[in-house]
Amino acid sequence: MRLDAYRHIRRGAWSVRRSSRVVGHVPTLILADVRFVVRQAARRRIVRTMQREVCAHVQGIPTDAARPLEARRVRFSPYAGPAFTLEDGTPIAAAALVFLGVDGACWAVMGDVECVR
């Protein structure tokens, strides 16, 4: 079953949604077959009003894989642009595996997945 996850800033955890309902909060999460989703109307509203709200999330299938080996850092800021990006500014829409860390970082593996336990 596909889940949505986004960073809950006040809790310092990842909120997990299933069918538009929050079902829990976790410190870390690993998802496979991931899509990066940005609601553009909400992003524009944030830029216009300067008030926070959830406008972006990752969507994928939970997995018990270990930490990705050659993962690349993924970032999102509604003020920086309309999409999730890699550190070099390249937009990203999907990934094979994503690790959502306790520190709020998002790491993605694009192709074949190798993990370390």
Side-chain angles (χ1 to χ4, degrees):
M1 170 167 291
R2 293 187 78 78
L3 299 177
D4 298 342
Y6 60 91
R7 185 71 177 167
H8 193 294
I9 296 170
R10 293 171 115 186
R11 285 184 185 262
W14 295 96
S15 293
V16 178
R17 287 190 304 211
R18 183 181 309 134
S19 302
S20 300
R21 174 165 279 195
V22 175
V23 294
H25 299 90
V26 295
T28 62
L29 183 63
I30 299 178
L31 299 172
D33 189 24
V34 174
R35 290 185 329 144
F36 295 94
V37 180
V38 179
R39 293 181 8 248
Q40 293 303 325
R43 189 192 71 80
R44 286 191 297 271
R45 189 168 44 249
I46 290 169
V47 171
R48 186 178 69 247
T49 64
M50 301 291 288
Q51 292 190 357
R52 291 186 291 193
E53 67 177 277
V54 176
C55 68
H57 62 272
V58 294
Q59 185 180 70
I61 301 165
T63 182
D64 61 354
R67 180 180 55 86
L69 253 185
E70 295 179 10
R72 296 179 67 189
R73 180 81 184 260
V74 177
R75 298 175 184 266
F76 176 77
S77 169
Y79 305 104
F84 284 84
T85 60
L86 298 174
E87 283 186 307
D88 64 1
T90 306
I92 180 173
L97 189 70
V98 166
F99 176 75
L100 304 173
V102 70
D103 61 351
C106 175
W107 298 88
V109 176
M110 307 308 162
D112 296 332
V113 178
E114 284 186 41
C115 296
V116 82
R117 291 237 178 240

